[in-house]
Amino acid sequence: MLNALLLPLLFSMAGGTFIFLYRPEQRGQGLLILTLFQLVGAAGYAMQPTTELLALLSAHALAVLVMLTRHLQTPVPVPQTSRDQ
């Protein structure tokens, strides 16, 4: 199961980090996708529990938790109204 989930989880962490850093308007969708990857990994761990897969899922969960916390702490930008008339 580790072989089946290693590359998708690593790719999701790399892609999620890219979206988080360079596409702030899509952070919510990216974090949702990362959470869904975490759920798929948890299902794989339930089918075949190994220490290596648990370590990979823990690293993935930590990355998702850090990005989600940073996203929730970021203030929502307020649109500026033009009063130059």
Side-chain angles (χ1 to χ4, degrees):
M1 191 58 67
L2 178 66
N3 292 336
L5 291 174
L6 179 66
L7 289 177
L9 287 176
L10 289 177
F11 179 76
S12 73
M13 280 193 285
T17 303
F18 175 79
I19 288 174
F20 187 81
L21 293 176
Y22 297 110
R23 304 229 173 144
E25 67 278 355
Q26 296 178 345
R27 280 184 185 168
Q29 293 172 346
L31 288 168
L32 177 63
I33 291 169
L34 285 174
T35 305
L36 293 176
F37 268 103
Q38 185 70 31
L39 290 174
V40 168
Y45 181 76
M47 285 189 249
Q48 185 178 1
T50 61
T51 307
E52 296 84 8
L53 186 56
L54 179 63
L56 178 64
L57 287 171
S58 298
H60 191 273
L62 181 64
V64 172
L65 179 68
V66 167
M67 285 188 264
L68 183 62
T69 304
R70 296 284 302 190
H71 175 66
L72 292 175
Q73 289 177 346
T74 306
V76 178
V78 178
Q80 298 291 327
T81 58
S82 63
R83 299 197 182 251
D84 296 335
Q85 296 174 344

